[in-house]
Amino acid sequence: MKITLHLLGAAAVLATGCIHHTETVYRDVSRVKVEFENDAAGRMFYEALSKTPHHRGERESKTDISIPIVFSHTTETVTGENYEFNKAVKDCDTNQDGVITETEARIFAESR
Ligand SMILES: [Ca+2]
């Protein structure tokens, strides 16, 4: 009798299917303050940034938790555009003085 109940329970789970839940978490930060030596430096920086493949909605991580057949939960973390902007400023401003010179912007653009 006990075995029959277990089999009935398993059959009920199979009949109803898997419970699946997906959660997407968006994370973003404030943009760092940066100045440009001149218009050309700013233009080169933004043009190079716009060519970055992961400029929009970069997926940072994906976590799957599941009990086969019964339960499945997926969490995805998506970083915002400001992460990429801040990273680009950090890469571009090589002497970290908060001012992107035309030379720094040119080197940054050529490296992209
Ligand atoms: Ca600098």
Side-chain angles (χ1 to χ4, degrees):
M1 184 66 180
K2 212 171 191 181
I3 293 170
T4 307
L5 287 176
H6 284 293
L7 288 175
L8 281 174
V13 168
L14 287 172
T16 56
C18 177
I19 299 167
H20 183 78
H21 183 251
T22 302
E23 179 183 18
T24 303
V25 179
Y26 294 93
R27 291 194 328 175
D28 210 352
V29 294
S30 301
R31 284 190 173 199
V32 294
K33 288 189 176 180
V34 66
E35 293 177 27
F36 296 96
E37 180 185 44
N38 53 35
D39 289 347
R43 190 176 59 248
M44 275 191 277
F45 173 81
Y46 281 107
E47 282 177 3
L49 180 62
S50 69
K51 291 175 185 169
T52 303
H54 301 293
H55 183 56
R56 294 215 167 101
E58 183 174 349
R59 298 214 184 287
E60 189 176 74
S61 66
K62 184 174 182 178
T63 307
D64 286 312
I65 300 169
S66 64
I67 299 169
I69 303 171
V70 181
F71 173 76
S72 169
H73 179 85
T74 303
T75 302
E76 277 188 300
T77 303
V78 180
T79 55
E81 290 182 27
N82 291 348
Y83 269 99
E84 192 61 37
F85 178 86
N86 293 351
K87 186 177 177 300
V89 168
K90 188 178 175 189
D91 292 346
C92 185
D93 187 11
T94 51
N95 63 355
Q96 306 295 310
D97 65 350
V99 179
I100 292 176
T101 63
E102 195 171 337
T103 304
E104 287 173 327
R106 183 175 297 113
I107 292 167
F108 176 73
E110 288 171 356
S111 71
R112 295 281 158 143

